């Protein structure tokens, strides 16, 4: 499924091709149902800048989940802020 997202760079360094958006699906028992791919941003985001884009999100099987979306700088510098959304997959 395609999900519209908006990310804002609140830091002091531009986000380049090493910055990715990723996601994972968490079950009600807190286990991870599916880890998503890491997606490069389509353009550099300057400090204070915001980028609106669409992210392709693979879905797990039917059920109720928390969808976690976050940003990281490769290879593994996870940013502190993200978003969690309750989703029912049918």
């Amino acid at each position: 499924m395609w999900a519209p997202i908006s990310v804002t760079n609140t830091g002091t360094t531009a986000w380049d091709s090493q910055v990715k958006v990723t996601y994972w699906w968490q079950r009600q028992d807190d286990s991870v149902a599916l880890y998503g791919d890491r997606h490069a941003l389509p353009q550099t985001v300057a400090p204070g800048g915001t980028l609106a884009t669409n992210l392709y999100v693979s879905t797990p099987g039917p059920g109720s989940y928390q969808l976690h979306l976050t940003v990281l700088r490769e290879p593994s510098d996870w940013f502190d802020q993200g978003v969690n959304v309750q989703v029912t997959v049918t």
Side-chain angles (χ1 to χ4, degrees), residues 19-79:
V19 175
K20 310 277 197 270
V21 177
T22 191
Y23 64 94
W24 67 96
W25 294 89
Q26 186 174 348
R27 295 182 186 95
Q28 298 299 318
D29 67 2
D30 290 335
S31 64
V32 174
L34 176 71
Y35 286 105
D37 294 328
R38 296 177 178 186
H39 299 271
L41 299 175
Q43 66 191 55
T44 299
V45 182
T50 297
L51 173 69
T53 189
N54 291 306
L55 177 71
Y56 186 79
V57 178
S58 297
T59 57
S64 183
Y65 304 92
Q66 283 283 325
L67 173 60
H68 300 269
L69 295 151
T70 193
V71 179
L72 71 132
R73 183 179 303 277
E74 292 284 20
S76 60
D77 185 14
W78 296 87
F79 292 23

